Amino acid sequence: MDRIISSRIKAFYAAESAELFLGDSFKILQKIKPETVDMIFADPPYFLSNDGITCKGGKMVSVNKGAWDQGGGLKAKHEFNRRWIRLCRKALKPNGTIWISGTLHNIYSIGMALEQEGFKIINNITWQKTNPPPNLACRCFTHSTETVLWARKDDRNAKNFFNYEKMKELNGGRQMKDVWTGGLTKPSEKKEGRHPTQKPEYLLEKIVLASTRVGELVLDPFCGSGTTGAAALRCSRQFIGIDNEEAYLDISRRRLEKIRHEQRL
Ligand SMILES: C[S@@+](CC[C@H](N)C(=O)[O-])C[C@H]1O[C@@H](n2cnc3c(N)ncnc32)[C@H](O)[C@@H]1O
């Protein structure tokens, strides 16, 4: 694939249609050639690792995901979101789009940051989980949704690509709505290793198919276990992923290699 990140930054993994970079996204995003990326999907830190409890596999466990998910307060969280969204805007092509998923802990800051940084929100997708973990405290409703915002540059000439017909086909011949219902990530998608917040592949495949054409370049600045890359490769798109945890990039690399192997068979 064409090199769009400065050659001074060594790739953690490089293959024909995928590259992974280990490091801080704030540094690596700055090294991307402006206006070279067709679509960005980001699942940034939620800042919910506050020592609370949740339920996993029927057991009471800590909600803490890792040091990367600990917040420094409202102002710091919003500044964090504004900074990486600003860098993503520079990397995106004029007609490119960005999808950002989040929970109630960060999605309002993200929506605001998108508008402040020159994006126009196209859709507010609600991902409704069919098998959410139960609410142990029983003091509020069970959390069973996440939000995915889809946005384009707020420029009168910007025309985002939307594969309307494909989405209609996937929805049995009827217009697709903005509520997507489905299960949590299947164990079969975690065979290459576990990530605490791994997204299901069906969600990312829908996003990739809806907003990109074959061969286009997808970037994920917080790629974790590489779900976006897996979807991009399965749909014959190119992929660049960044994460600052080597153990997660190892999972990403194994998943991408497995798909490339399947595609060669
Ligand atoms: C919510 S997880 C993404 C999970 C991913 N969507 C998946 O399906 O596996 C966020 C990821 O961002 C990474 N991260 C947090 N801060 C980062 C930073 N400043 N630079 C690069 N990666 C970062 C974490 O290591 C974590 O893997």
Side-chain angles (χ1 to χ4, degrees):
M1 60 195 274
D2 291 342
R3 188 85 204 212
I4 64 151
I5 295 194
S6 158
S7 54
R8 271 176 285 165
I9 301 201
K10 197 174 168 301
F12 175 85
Y13 168 75
E16 204 185 310
S17 47
E19 284 180 350
L20 298 173
F21 291 87
L22 173 62
D24 186 359
S25 265
F26 288 95
K27 291 198 180 122
I28 297 174
L29 284 171
Q30 288 186 46
K31 304 288 180 195
I32 297 186
K33 274 193 206 155
E35 301 192 349
T36 49
V37 174
D38 294 289
M39 187 272 266
I40 296 174
F41 172 83
D43 181 17
Y46 314 110
F47 301 116
L48 61 65
S49 293
N50 55 3
D51 298 330
I53 50 155
T54 185
C55 177
K56 208 169 202 175
K59 291 194 189 117
M60 195 189 288
V61 295
S62 162
V63 292
N64 291 357
K65 312 289 178 202
W68 57 268
D69 199 45
Q70 282 158 3
L74 191 64
K75 206 160 169 255
K77 171 169 70 177
H78 194 58
E79 189 43 39
F80 175 94
N81 287 327
R82 284 196 71 170
R83 274 175 58 217
W84 72 262
I85 287 172
R86 192 178 309 148
L87 293 169
C88 284
R89 193 178 190 284
K90 255 180 75 187
L92 263 189
K93 288 182 180 173
N95 292 333
T97 59
I98 183 166
W99 299 76
I100 310 177
S101 70
T103 59
L104 58 85
H105 308 86
N106 64 344
I107 203 67
Y108 299 102
S109 160
I110 286 167
M112 175 91 168
L114 275 170
E115 294 193 337
Q116 286 174 317
E117 296 301 331
F119 281 98
K120 188 168 174 53
I121 297 174
I122 306 168
N123 272 125
N124 180 113
I125 305 290
T126 300
W127 171 36
Q128 185 192 18
K129 304 169 190 176
T130 48
N131 51 349
N135 183 324
L136 293 179
C138 305
R139 282 189 297 196
C140 65
F141 299 102
T142 300
H143 299 285
S144 67
T145 62
E146 283 187 34
T147 300
V148 191
L149 299 177
W150 184 32
R152 63 170 165 76
K153 291 189 175 181
D154 190 7
D155 170 348
R156 213 183 313 158
N157 299 317
K159 283 204 168 34
N160 64 280
F161 171 70
F162 176 48
N163 199 339
Y164 173 81
E165 289 303 333
K166 183 74 191 170
M167 292 301 105
K168 198 169 157 187
E169 179 195 317
L170 292 180
N171 197 40
R174 286 179 307 177
Q175 281 194 340
M176 191 177 287
K177 295 185 188 139
D178 59 3
V179 178
W180 300 353
T181 305
L184 296 173
T185 309
K186 294 184 279 190
S188 60
E189 292 174 17
K190 297 189 173 181
K191 283 191 180 151
E192 305 311 317
R194 301 183 79 78
H195 186 288
T197 63
Q198 187 173 331
K199 285 278 177 290
E201 288 184 12
Y202 70 82
L203 200 69
L204 268 300
E205 280 180 18
K206 202 183 273 188
I207 286 171
V208 167
L209 289 172
S211 57
T212 62
R213 303 171 182 89
V214 168
E216 287 189 341
L217 176 61
V218 176
L219 166 74
D220 185 338
F222 303 101
C223 76
S225 65
T227 312
T228 311
L233 258 54
R234 283 231 166 80
C235 301
S236 306
R237 273 63 168 175
Q238 301 187 69
F239 176 69
I240 291 181
I242 308 168
D243 204 286
N244 59 5
E245 295 258 355
E246 188 165 356
Y248 296 153
L249 279 194
D250 272 328
I251 304 175
S252 289
R253 178 179 49 76
R254 286 195 290 272
R255 288 177 81 185
L256 298 180
E257 275 294 289
K258 195 171 166 191
I259 293 167
R260 293 188 66 239
H261 177 72
E262 285 163 10
Q263 289 176 333
R264 281 195 296 266
L265 292 178

